[in-house]
Amino acid sequence: MGNRKATLLVLPATVISFFVVVGGLLAALMQSLGLLPFAGPPTLNSSAYLTVAPDLPSAVALSFGIAAASTLIAVIFGFVTAMLVMRGRFGGRLIAMVSTWSIPFPHLVGAASMGLLLGDAGFLARIFGTDSWPELVGGPAWIAVIAAYSWKESAFVALVVTGVLLTRATAYDETAALLGAGRLRRLRHVLVPLSLPALGVSATIVFVYVFGSYEVAWLLGRPYPEPLPVMALRLFSSASLSSRPEAAALAVVTTIVALGAAGLAALALRRVPLWQ
Amino acid sequence: MAVILPAPAESRKEATRNGLFASRRLGRWGRWLLVLAMTVWFLAPLLPLALWFFAERWSFPGILPQEWGTGAVQEALAQGAVPAFGRSLGVALAVMAVATPMGLLAARAFAFHRPHGAGFLSALVFAPLALPPFAAAFGLNVLFLRLHLPPMFGIVLVLAVYALPYTTFTLRVAYGAYECGFEDEARMLGASRWRVLSRVHLPLLAPALMRAAFLAFLVGWSDYVVTLLVGGGTLVTVPLLVASAAAGTGNDAMLSVLSVTAVLPPLVLLLGAAIHTRRRLGVRS
Amino acid sequence: MSATLVIEDLITTFPGTVRPALAGISLEVRAGSCTAVLGPSGSGKSTLLRSVAGLEVPDAGRVVLGGTDLAPIRPEQRGISLVSQRPLLFPHLNVLDNVAFAARVRGVPRREARRDAADFLDVVQLGDLGNRRATELSGGQQQRVALARALAARPGLLLLDEPFSALDPGLRTSMHDLLAEVRRQLSPTLLLVTHDRDEAVAVAERVALLGNGCLLQHAAVQEIYTRPVSLEVNRLMGGLNEVPGTVRGGRHESELGSLALPEDAAGASGPGTLIFRQESIMVSGVDGPGIPAIVSAVKPQGARRILTVQVGGQLLHAEAPWALPVAQGTPVRLQIPRSALWVLPEEPTATTTGSTPNATGDAIDQLVTDHV
């Protein structure tokens, strides 16, 4: 009885999720295998995958690199922010306020702002002089892209970690201090382990999001080599009909890597000494 | 779309004059340096945006605009900023209207009952967190075309699914801390089932509902890729205008006007929520 | 590992409040002894402990442990451990590593720290639970582990902040026995905060009574019960009898007649309030010896009953066993041992003279409301 009611309650959410997640993925998969052509009879073939195969290693590596670097910076800056917010007082309140600012920024707008800041005619280039200004936007190191992602996501990580720490960390911090642990020891033996689950979950969400995200890399990146989503969208909107299955093949590959990363992270998180 | 709201101010217990946090010489300088560095990190990208907004002419390498003005606003209006704003608002409100109640129902089911296949169902609801939106949009683009669904419908449907993890999670956490005793107490005092829902249940959940609704709004408001792919470019929202302005060169002033337009509504909602919370707390204490 | 604690004129004020939480407390706890800090809610008990630990920064005064002024020393270097009402075991460590925490953060190798921790787990009789997750333990077991963890830090002073108040009565009693055993084995200096008089008596040899941030009296257990320095102390310790009268020539004259005072109570002549514990009155039937009285109310209290009796115009309270057949209106006789008498030069206040049986419930709670 209770079970049937429960099923009715989750039904609306799961039906539309099922349609979008499973339906969308199946359609993309069929498209990539030539089963949903724009014109002509459907034929099962792997030519789309074979066509994109040569570009895949560099695209996957690039997307992976951007996502890993952005996640690392976001986690470090986010944790530092959370620690400062936790200390309270004026500095903590200030940091809590300014980190909230990036939350309503759409990623695209964050990227545009980062372009205005870091571009070769950007605000920093104007301040520090033009001659030696490095190629941050569209450069080989993808610095503006990584900066835009980690700028927005560090605030996200900070919020998740403060949400977990604020309620319990002070009592544990005091307990550890009275057991003789100094500041650094408390950080290493108490605050980091307590934040680890929150850091792990938020890092996974950030990594998977950045890996499959398009607009920031498209706006601030360089034309070649391309990250997976950028290549996929270029093929998707290109004029030739044969490029649609190739775009779908890239979408399938991106999804597999993203889901794989999320799965691995879930397994790893299960081994972290969690609480409740 | 990794977004989340700050924890409500009431849970922030200030550690005043705690002996542990008493600053000592080097520690104090180090902490202030860190505070300064993080403040610069979070605020730096906002500065050129604000300067460009009021720049009539700002040619390189001037550190400040040579002429101030609001001509860029006219340009942005000419690009169709007003109708785009309306369309964005429509999408965001529709996503909010779909994802919040559905998230509420799902959260209640996960919190208080154990539906059949709870693991699979929650995996389904939270799957969008790990699913690149462009990948889902590729496949759905074909499906929607074959089913002859209007683009607005498809966009809202996909974005609502992408908002569901956030609304469901927020409300699930709220139900986790929810004290069923209040409902029992109200029933014992003679309140009917519907009275309990409207007078006890929803008011107790109101803060979490507001957070969930804001997150859903933000997902709909910020989206670029789904609107572009599922709508096929027919539905021009503010992010699409920002993208085309950012892809071009030489219109940085208009880009900043459009960017500010894209940030303002969620920012106003965020500030409104913060002020509301503070006022409510002020009344209570 | 134990050291003498000396607190001198400690004043702590919370920001934004006018009245200090601690208004000049002076207290000495001898090495290896146990003092219970007793007082109503909001009297500053926990603030006193947190100020000694260094978690609160006092405005003035000194805290000296083993001859060292603690003011410039950080909480983590004071050699003070604290066990509070919540066990606060680290959720990311198992039971053994929780107990080994202090050694680990001092740089002791893991193996050695764990061996040492196992000994302390044995002291609290949980030697076989070392590998369990902290969350798998019951509340009483968690509190034992918290105690072992605090002891393993080899503190010069162990602070206990209502450590057993979340446990049920049976468990609490066994924790008192455990604490006695710990004191026998390790003899740490103990400062225990509690709101429970019985717990204070069961665990400590001295009691420090706080009220409104002031130290009202610090004395041995028996002394604070029978020789309170003020009516307030008497009431906070649960004393119910206050008889106004006059002291003259070593005797107290009142409605009860002329009673010979013990030597230490026979001070200067003049007005004085006679006090004695309700437990020390012996009640007998009408043919027994002593002062004649009439029972005006009977209130059960556990294994005994509290009688309200009337002697002339004076109401008294006395404990009596269930075996004594009394009801409202029964005439009885009262005997009060001379050694139980004590005189204070204060006048009793109107609210508590002739108090009703309701006041017996919890004199402390009653007084909190009076003060507020």
Side-chain angles (χ1 to χ4, degrees):
Chain A
M1 195 54 210
N3 262 332
R4 187 181 301 164
K5 189 183 165 198
T7 313
L8 278 178
L9 285 175
V10 289
L11 208 60
T14 42
V15 163
I16 64 166
S17 288
F18 186 85
F19 179 75
V20 167
V21 172
V22 180
L25 276 184
L26 273 183
L29 189 66
M30 287 167 69
Q31 225 178 340
S32 71
L33 294 171
L35 297 174
L36 279 176
F38 256 113
T43 50
L44 180 67
N45 64 74
S46 59
S47 60
Y49 287 93
L50 293 176
T51 315
V52 298
D55 291 327
L56 265 187
S58 68
V60 172
L62 182 58
S63 285
F64 192 93
I66 292 172
S70 308
T71 307
L72 187 70
I73 297 174
V75 163
I76 292 172
F77 284 20
F79 185 70
V80 169
T81 306
M83 289 296 112
L84 291 174
V85 170
M86 229 196 69
R87 292 279 124 128
R89 291 192 291 196
F90 178 73
R93 282 199 296 273
L94 177 75
I95 290 295
M97 198 182 71
V98 298
S99 65
T100 315
W101 266 90
S102 67
I103 287 167
F105 270 68
H107 274 91
L108 185 63
V109 177
S113 312
M114 212 44 106
L116 293 179
L117 181 72
L118 301 179
D120 36 349
F123 189 59
L124 288 187
R126 291 167 190 263
I127 290 180
F128 291 108
T130 161
D131 303 335
S132 57
W133 190 247
E135 217 183 347
L136 300 180
V137 173
W142 298 79
I143 289 183
V145 176
I146 292 167
Y149 280 126
S150 37
W151 175 70
K152 194 157 158 55
E153 303 301 351
S154 55
F156 166 71
V157 174
L159 278 171
V160 175
V161 174
T162 21
V164 171
L165 281 190
L166 268 179
T167 48
R168 45 181 95 214
T170 305
Y172 284 121
D173 206 30
E174 288 180 2
T175 307
L178 292 184
L179 292 168
R183 266 169 217 224
L184 285 177
R185 293 284 186 170
R186 296 206 295 275
L187 192 67
R188 187 165 107 64
H189 288 280
V190 179
L191 293 175
V192 169
L194 284 179
S195 324
L196 212 53
L199 282 176
V201 169
S202 54
T204 308
I205 292 178
V206 170
F207 180 88
V208 170
Y209 176 80
V210 174
F211 188 83
S213 153
Y214 164 75
E215 56 261 44
V216 176
W218 163 71
L219 200 59
L220 299 177
R222 52 182 7 201
Y224 189 85
E226 290 167 308
L228 276 173
V230 176
M231 191 194 289
L233 257 85
R234 179 176 53 75
L235 289 171
F236 186 83
S237 47
S238 89
S240 104
L241 286 181
S242 72
S243 61
R244 276 289 171 102
E246 291 162 22
L250 289 173
V252 170
V253 172
T254 313
T255 305
I256 289 171
V257 177
L259 287 178
L264 281 181
L267 279 182
L269 276 174
R270 198 163 292 181
R271 301 186 51 173
V272 170
L274 272 163
W275 73 100
Q276 276 87 35
Chain B
M1 269 154 249
V3 286
I4 199 162
L5 259 191
E10 48 216 294
S11 72
R12 298 197 172 174
K13 192 178 148 214
E14 193 76 23
T16 28
R17 265 197 0 156
N18 191 307
L20 283 190
F21 299 155
S23 300
R24 282 167 178 87
R25 299 174 306 269
L26 249 169
R28 178 181 306 182
W29 283 103
R31 203 163 51 81
W32 277 107
L33 254 158
L34 265 184
V35 167
L36 186 72
M38 293 318 294
T39 309
V40 168
W41 164 252
F42 283 115
L43 291 187
L46 306 180
L47 194 58
L49 203 62
L51 288 174
W52 269 114
F53 189 97
F54 296 107
E56 200 68 43
R57 196 170 62 82
W58 191 7
S59 47
F60 197 74
I63 288 177
L64 287 175
Q66 286 87 12
E67 272 176 54
W68 301 89
T70 52
V73 176
Q74 304 297 326
E75 273 181 74
L77 289 176
Q79 291 287 314
V82 172
F85 188 90
R87 284 188 284 265
S88 276
L89 208 57
V91 169
L93 290 176
V95 169
M96 183 175 104
V98 175
T100 313
M102 283 192 185
L104 180 72
L105 295 180
R108 192 172 170 87
F110 289 135
F112 295 139
H113 315 281
R114 256 201 101 62
H116 283 299
F120 172 73
L121 292 178
S122 70
L124 204 56
V125 172
F126 288 99
L129 285 180
L131 181 65
F134 83 90
F138 277 7
L140 291 167
N141 177 281
V142 183
L143 278 184
F144 288 148
L145 280 177
R146 302 218 164 172
L147 296 171
H148 299 289
L149 290 172
M152 174 77 177
F153 179 86
I155 292 168
V156 170
L157 181 70
V158 176
L159 291 178
V161 168
Y162 271 88
L164 267 177
Y166 297 106
T167 57
T168 310
F169 180 76
T170 306
L171 291 162
R172 172 71 186 81
V173 170
Y175 270 124
Y178 183 79
E179 181 62 64
C180 287
F182 287 122
E183 277 190 39
D184 297 342
E185 190 64 34
R187 291 298 288 277
M188 300 307 288
L189 293 170
S192 70
R193 205 175 262 268
W194 284 109
R195 275 288 168 88
V196 169
L197 185 69
S198 65
R199 294 288 177 84
V200 180
H201 189 128
L202 292 179
L204 279 175
L205 282 181
L209 268 173
M210 268 170 49
R211 273 199 295 276
F214 174 80
L215 292 175
F217 180 92
L218 205 53
V219 168
W221 179 267
S222 319
D223 174 73
Y224 170 66
V225 123
V226 172
T227 314
L228 180 74
L229 294 176
V230 176
T234 56
L235 194 78
V236 178
T237 56
V238 175
L240 264 70
L241 284 185
V242 172
S244 67
T249 48
N251 46 6
D252 289 349
M254 188 189 70
L255 171 63
S256 78
V257 170
L258 289 170
S259 296
V260 170
T261 313
V263 171
L264 228 43
L267 190 65
V268 166
L269 285 180
L270 200 62
L271 287 178
I275 290 169
H276 177 77
T277 314
R278 187 159 302 170
R279 191 165 295 163
R280 220 188 41 185
L281 285 176
V283 168
R284 204 184 288 161
S285 63
Chain C
M1 77 189 232
S2 51
T4 297
L5 170 73
V6 178
I7 301 170
E8 290 172 8
D9 288 321
L10 199 65
I11 300 176
T12 304
T13 314
F14 287 114
T17 57
V18 182
R19 215 189 59 181
L22 297 179
I25 301 253
S26 296
L27 190 68
E28 182 177 335
V29 184
R30 289 271 187 74
S33 76
C34 177
T35 288
V37 181
L38 202 56
S41 318
S43 59
K45 303 188 299 280
S46 291
T47 310
L48 175 65
L49 242 58
R50 290 177 61 83
S51 300
V52 170
L55 296 174
E56 306 290 347
V57 185
D59 307 327
R62 298 206 311 157
V63 178
V64 181
L65 183 65
T68 313
D69 187 347
L70 295 182
I73 302 177
R74 294 186 195 191
E76 60 261 32
Q77 289 159 353
R78 292 188 171 194
I80 296 178
S81 288
L82 171 70
V83 177
S84 58
Q85 187 175 343
R86 294 191 297 154
L88 288 170
L89 300 183
F90 298 117
H92 57 283
L93 299 176
N94 69 15
V95 168
L96 192 64
D97 286 334
N98 259 288
V99 181
F101 185 89
R104 289 290 291 141
V105 295
R106 271 171 209 161
V108 177
R110 187 187 300 269
R111 183 189 298 265
E112 204 176 309
R114 283 189 175 160
R115 198 181 314 126
D116 182 60
D119 291 343
F120 280 92
L121 268 187
D122 285 336
V123 171
V124 298
Q125 296 144 29
L126 290 177
D128 45 347
L129 296 184
N131 287 322
R132 297 275 189 89
R133 293 265 306 275
T135 45
E136 295 171 45
L137 269 52
S138 70
Q141 288 172 329
Q142 289 194 20
Q143 203 55 280
R144 281 168 184 250
V145 175
L147 185 61
R149 181 176 66 177
L151 290 167
R154 311 290 200 286
L157 169 69
L158 179 58
L159 304 174
L160 303 168
D161 191 357
E162 309 211 6
F164 314 130
S165 56
L167 307 177
D168 62 55
L171 264 178
R172 216 183 292 182
T173 309
S174 71
M175 291 300 285
H176 295 161
D177 295 343
L178 175 69
L179 201 57
E181 179 62 23
V182 165
R183 292 192 63 193
R184 198 183 59 75
Q185 286 189 32
L186 306 169
S187 60
T189 309
L190 284 171
L191 193 57
L192 165 91
V193 158
T194 177
H195 60 260
D196 179 353
R197 292 193 295 270
D198 296 336
E199 181 164 279
V201 173
V203 171
E205 55 260 22
R206 288 174 78 79
V207 170
L209 187 67
L210 293 194
N212 285 329
C214 297
L215 181 68
L216 303 176
Q217 189 171 0
H218 181 211
V221 169
Q222 192 197 346
E223 191 181 341
I224 203 162
Y225 267 117
T226 59
R227 299 289 181 262
V229 296
S230 65
L231 289 178
E232 187 183 7
V233 169
N234 183 44
R235 287 171 208 153
L236 285 172
M237 294 310 294
L240 297 171
N241 294 319
E242 299 171 359
V243 182
T246 316
V247 178
R248 196 169 297 150
R251 299 182 75 83
H252 186 266
E253 288 162 11
S254 67
E255 291 263 11
L256 307 184
S258 175
L259 297 173
L261 295 171
E263 270 169 29
D264 60 336
S269 297
T273 303
L274 183 72
I275 60 173
F276 44 88
R277 301 288 306 186
Q278 58 273 23
E279 297 90 353
S280 54
I281 303 181
M282 282 173 288
V283 185
S284 53
V286 71
D287 45 351
I291 309 164
I294 305 287
V295 175
S296 61
V298 180
K299 191 186 170 207
Q301 193 171 58
R304 296 171 74 79
R305 291 188 288 183
I306 296 280
L307 310 182
T308 307
V309 297
Q310 207 161 356
V311 181
Q314 178 67 44
L315 285 181
L316 295 178
H317 300 280
E319 270 194 19
W322 286 88
L324 187 75
V326 285
Q328 199 179 346
T330 310
V332 290
R333 297 277 178 144
L334 310 176
Q335 272 182 290
I336 310 166
R338 186 182 175 197
S339 63
L341 300 179
W342 184 242
V343 174
L344 291 167
E346 300 170 64
E347 291 287 322
T349 46
T351 46
T352 42
T353 35
S355 56
T356 59
N358 291 345
T360 48
D362 197 334
I364 285 183
D365 284 351
Q366 185 68 39
L367 272 151
V368 178
T369 38
D370 287 349
H371 279 294
V372 174

